[in-house]
Amino acid sequence: MARVRVFVQAGDPISAVGLASYIRAQPGMLVVPSRLPADADVALTVTDRVSADFLGALTKAAQAAPLPTVVATDHVDPEQAPSLHRCRVVALLPRSAATSSRLASAVMEAATGGAVTSLAEQADNLRREIAGPDGAMLAPRELTVLQLMADGHDTPEIADIMACSDRMVKSIILSATKRFNVHNRVHAVACALRAGLI
C-alpha cells in the first residue's frame, strides 16, 4: 500500500515541528516538504482559532493545492462550516485533545475519502468536547492543569511540568473553577471527569 503523503501547516514553527513528528511516527505516512504542497494527498493544519485570517490563508492554500484538509483547533464557529467546506476541510479535531492516533485516523479518513459528518456538526461536536458543563470554553492550559490534577500532581509538580510558576498554576485553577462555577479544585476535576473533558 502506498504511503499517505501529508502536507503540514501551522501558524508557528513549534506546532509545525510537533505535527510533523506526530505524522512521521505513523506507519504508512510521510511528511511532504513545505515547498511541495501539491505533492501531498492530505493537508493537516493547526490553529488556536478559526479566524478570518486563518480562513484567508486556508483559501489561498486550497487554491494552490486543492487537498482534503484536516484542521485541529479549539475555537470554531459552526457558521464557518461553509467557508471551511470551500477550503476542502473534511475534518475538525480539538487541538487540545489531538493525539497522534487521533490525527492519524483523521488523516487516513481524509486520504481515503472516508465518510465524515458535516462540518457544522463537527464544529458543534468540537465546541461541546472542549466546553465546560455550562458551555463555557475551557482553555487548553485549563484542560492540561485539570488532567494533571486528576493524575495526582500537586501545584509545584504541575508548575514544573508546565514550566511556569506556582502562582500561574493557581491562577489557571481559579479560572477553571470559575468556569465550572464550583468552589474548589477537587470539584473542578470531578466536573471535568463527568463531562468527559479529561
Side-chain angles (χ1 to χ4, degrees):
M1 178 170 105
R3 294 174 78 176
V4 175
R5 298 165 299 172
V6 183
F7 174 60
V8 173
Q9 306 172 93
D12 63 272
I14 292 173
S15 295
V17 169
L19 275 180
S21 71
Y22 270 4
I23 296 304
R24 283 189 190 100
Q26 299 301 314
M29 292 190 188
L30 171 71
V31 175
V32 172
S34 60
R35 66 184 183 286
L36 302 171
D39 290 349
D41 301 310
V42 176
L44 172 61
T45 187
V46 64
T47 184
D48 289 330
R49 171 181 304 277
V50 175
S51 63
D53 290 342
F54 175 77
L55 284 172
L58 208 55
T59 300
K60 287 180 185 176
Q63 290 168 347
L67 303 170
T69 301
V70 175
V71 174
T73 184
D74 279 333
H75 299 283
V76 63
D77 186 333
E79 292 177 11
Q80 294 171 314
S83 298
L84 291 167
H85 186 265
R86 283 191 296 275
C87 295
R88 305 225 16 180
V89 173
V90 295
L92 292 169
L93 297 172
R95 180 179 182 171
S96 57
T99 62
S100 59
S101 61
R102 200 166 182 185
L103 288 169
S105 177
V107 166
M108 290 304 287
E109 274 200 37
T112 59
V116 294
T117 57
S118 75
L119 287 176
E121 187 176 333
Q122 288 184 53
D124 279 339
N125 291 342
L126 185 142
R127 289 178 59 82
R128 275 194 300 278
E129 186 169 336
I130 59 176
D134 63 351
M137 300 301 286
L138 289 172
R141 293 185 97 181
E142 290 170 331
L143 287 170
T144 300
V145 167
L146 289 169
Q147 179 64 60
L148 290 170
M149 287 191 305
D151 292 341
H153 297 284
D154 62 14
T155 301
E157 290 171 334
I158 294 170
D160 286 344
I161 292 167
M162 294 183 66
C164 65
S165 69
D166 288 9
R167 188 176 192 162
M168 175 59 76
V169 171
K170 290 176 184 176
S171 173
I172 294 168
I173 293 168
L174 179 62
S175 175
T177 58
K178 284 182 179 179
R179 285 187 200 270
F180 282 117
N181 195 27
V182 296
H183 299 290
N184 61 51
R185 60 180 64 203
V186 174
H187 196 182
V189 170
C191 286
L193 286 167
R194 276 195 300 272
L197 299 174
I198 57 173

